[in-house]
Amino acid sequence: MKQYDVIVIGSGMSGMTVANKCASKGLKVAVTDELPYGGTCALRGCDPKKIIIGATEVRDFAQRLVGKGINTVPQVEWKDIMAFKQEFVDAMPEKIEKGYKHNDIDTYHGAARFIGSDAVEIASEVLKGSKIVIATGARPRQLKFDGGHLALTSTDFLNLQELPNSLIFIGGGYIAFEFAHIAKRCGAEVTIIHRGPQPLENFDKDIVHHLSEATRKLGVRLMLETNVTGIKQDAKGYTVIGETNGSETEFTAEAVFNSAGRVPHIDDLNLKKASVNYNKKGIEVNKYLQSTSNPSIYAAGDAADTDGLPLTPVAVYEGNIIASNILKGKNKKPEYPPMPSVVFTLPPMASVGLTEVEAEKAGLNIKVNTKAVPGWFNAKRLNVQEYAYKTIIDTDKSTLVGAHLIGPGVEETINFFSLAMYKEVPVRDLKKMIYAYPTMGSDITSML
């Protein structure tokens, strides 16, 4: 049995943050992961996805400017862009492990299972830790219907050596929309099947409507209020059985993907052995991100039930909180700033703060500014039809409490709104600012 000050289970961004910070202060640290080091974002999520999107952005931009100075629309070479993506992915685990070795962190490669309140087993090796941090992230939600196991995952999509001619995405969240836009622009036929009346349910419904319309115009088949009841496989591919308003419908494709959401990846940890309470949202933690039932255990990121959104920057933030509390005692509580979220479709959709519905439920006196603005200069110069905004202002404080955007560059513009909300900048001051022109940021004053 080996003894450590800190054992970190999971080597994504939150786990990496805790391990390196604690080791830099002289603690004896071990880290383990059953998958290559780097976590979902770097290896199986945000980063590789954004690299692939880059190629489709070039094609989309050229297509919009055909006849306006551009006469050739480039094709995306799937194998080439996947090879480019793989350069980043392949380099990451070794880079991370070298960093651990440099900080004298012991590295393990395997799934950890608790065998006591302060001990885990990795393969046949037992590690005991004064503190143990659970940072195992999330995994795809299991599809509990006949043939659910036949659906591929988002990781499988990002590792496709060849793009199927037709794809079905089950679930209407950001994964489905982002990957559907990629696949369609690369020449595939795409269907999204969602059981509810509105996809992307955590975003503002009016801005989501614009994205849904843009998605349909792209040629993606968007089936709403359709509950999938099974998947069948035959020699030609797959058949997805759906039920819409009591009627059964079949959809066929060469590949089917599970995009029905993600859940905390904690089922295999044997948490009861460590007396760790948890629920469907993750490890139950107190205000110091410490297990409510075992004070020697902490949790962060997608594996923890916190007020933070399931976003990489939030995982890093929570990792820093935990590291501080391990090193200095319970001295830090997360005070989440506004957390911007982006759906990297084309056009992208971005959101921060309260939706209109949430602001009304909170009892705030609000002013809502919302408009579709394809006639604005920035939309016209880029030949974009989908450009719209909704800003929500607390009239009692004259400050912004929510911003929801769709259109070119909104994944960057949303950061201006996040900063304004974090510092509670009065709306009148935001309007007085001088912005570089012509930029997407220069539209901010007109959105207020």
Side-chain angles (χ1 to χ4, degrees):
M1 180 185 294
K2 292 186 177 179
Q3 177 73 46
Y4 292 94
D5 295 315
V6 182
I7 299 171
V8 179
I9 306 173
S11 186
M13 295 308 297
S14 56
M16 196 186 317
T17 300
V18 175
N20 285 320
K21 286 235 171 188
C22 289
S24 70
K25 299 300 183 182
L27 298 188
K28 186 171 178 56
V29 178
V31 63
T32 187
D33 203 316
E34 60 187 298
L35 296 171
Y37 288 166
T40 298
C41 185
L43 304 182
R44 303 175 294 277
C46 346
D47 291 355
K49 169 193 73 182
K50 197 68 164 70
I51 293 167
I52 298 171
I53 288 171
T56 64
E57 285 175 329
V58 173
R59 188 178 192 281
D60 178 62
F61 202 167
Q63 198 164 34
R64 284 187 275 111
L65 294 183
V66 167
K68 295 174 170 54
I70 297 296
N71 57 19
T72 302
V73 178
Q75 298 298 312
V76 176
E77 295 294 338
W78 186 264
K79 288 186 178 180
D80 291 343
I81 191 60
M82 293 302 279
F84 181 49
K85 176 268 300 182
Q86 204 61 35
E87 291 177 15
F88 292 82
V89 172
D90 288 345
M92 188 59 66
E94 182 180 357
K95 179 181 177 182
I96 291 171
E97 190 153 6
K98 281 184 177 178
Y100 286 147
K101 296 294 186 185
H102 178 75
N103 288 331
D104 293 323
I105 296 170
D106 287 352
T107 55
Y108 295 84
H109 296 271
R113 282 176 57 82
F114 283 96
I115 58 173
S117 61
D118 62 351
V120 297
E121 185 176 49
I122 304 168
S124 58
E125 196 153 13
V126 174
L127 312 183
K128 193 171 184 181
S130 300
K131 307 292 183 185
I132 299 177
V133 179
I134 299 171
T136 47
R139 60 167 177 79
R141 186 187 305 276
Q142 186 178 354
L143 297 178
K144 295 181 179 180
F145 49 70
D146 290 344
H149 65 283
L150 296 172
L152 300 172
T153 67
S154 58
T155 300
D156 294 320
F157 180 90
L158 292 170
N159 288 315
L160 287 171
Q161 293 307 300
E162 292 186 5
L163 183 67
N165 291 317
S166 54
L167 305 88
I168 294 172
F169 293 94
I170 299 173
Y174 71 94
I175 292 174
F177 272 76
E178 290 174 346
F179 289 177
H181 276 237
I182 290 172
K184 184 60 182 177
R185 286 189 170 86
C186 291
E189 291 301 313
V190 183
T191 300
I192 296 173
I193 304 173
H194 182 61
R195 65 182 179 180
Q198 177 192 308
L200 295 157
E201 294 159 347
N202 293 326
F203 289 81
D204 183 89
K205 62 182 179 64
D206 294 325
I207 301 300
V208 168
H209 175 74
H210 287 287
L211 180 56
S212 295
E213 289 305 301
T215 301
R216 290 190 174 101
K217 287 178 185 176
L218 178 63
V220 173
R221 188 180 185 188
L222 181 56
M223 297 297 301
L224 302 179
E225 297 185 272
T226 300
N227 188 45
V228 174
T229 58
I231 303 173
K232 296 185 294 188
Q233 184 180 16
D234 57 31
K236 294 181 180 179
Y238 299 86
T239 299
V240 175
I241 300 101
E243 189 177 281
T244 308
N245 296 325
S247 300
E248 188 173 281
T249 310
E250 292 188 347
F251 309 87
T252 59
E254 291 184 8
V256 179
F257 292 87
N258 174 6
S259 52
R262 295 172 68 80
V263 296
H265 187 25
I266 58 176
D267 295 346
D268 301 328
L269 292 173
N270 199 21
L271 293 171
K272 289 184 179 179
K273 195 71 175 179
S275 300
V276 173
N277 291 341
Y278 61 95
N279 57 50
K280 64 180 181 179
K281 294 182 180 179
I283 307 295
E284 295 177 0
V285 295
N286 63 18
K287 58 187 177 182
Y288 302 105
L289 302 184
Q290 190 176 33
S291 166
T292 56
S293 53
N294 184 342
S296 66
I297 292 176
Y298 293 78
D302 294 355
D305 179 9
T306 71
D307 292 331
L309 295 179
L311 302 169
T312 298
V314 174
V316 174
Y317 176 76
E318 291 179 349
N320 279 309
I321 296 287
I322 289 175
S324 178
N325 288 334
I326 289 174
L327 291 166
K328 302 176 183 178
K330 294 187 292 186
N331 72 320
K332 268 196 175 182
K333 298 177 287 187
E335 296 177 1
Y336 296 98
M339 295 172 278
S341 185
V342 177
V343 181
F344 287 99
T345 45
L346 295 176
M349 182 176 70
S351 177
V352 66
L354 301 177
T355 64
E356 183 177 356
V357 171
E358 289 169 341
E360 289 171 348
K361 284 184 178 179
L364 299 179
N365 295 316
I366 57 173
K367 175 186 176 186
V368 178
N369 302 306
T370 184
K371 191 175 184 181
V373 287
W376 282 7
F377 174 72
N378 274 323
K380 294 181 73 173
R381 71 179 174 87
L382 298 170
N383 200 25
V384 169
Q385 295 302 309
E386 300 86 9
Y387 191 22
Y389 67 89
K390 178 183 283 189
T391 56
I392 302 164
I393 297 167
D394 182 335
T395 55
D396 292 335
K397 295 182 178 180
S398 297
T399 56
L400 196 69
V401 294
H404 312 279
L405 318 171
I406 185 170
V410 300
E411 72 274 27
E412 302 294 346
T413 308
I414 200 68
N415 291 313
F416 285 94
F417 287 108
S418 299
L419 179 60
M421 288 172 58
Y422 180 51
K423 302 307 293 184
E424 297 186 334
V425 180
V427 169
R428 64 179 178 275
D429 290 347
L430 292 173
K431 288 182 175 181
K432 288 179 183 177
M433 283 183 59
I434 296 176
Y435 300 84
Y437 180 88
T439 64
M440 302 309 298
S442 63
D443 286 344
I444 287 176
T445 53
S446 299
M447 295 179 180
L448 299 171

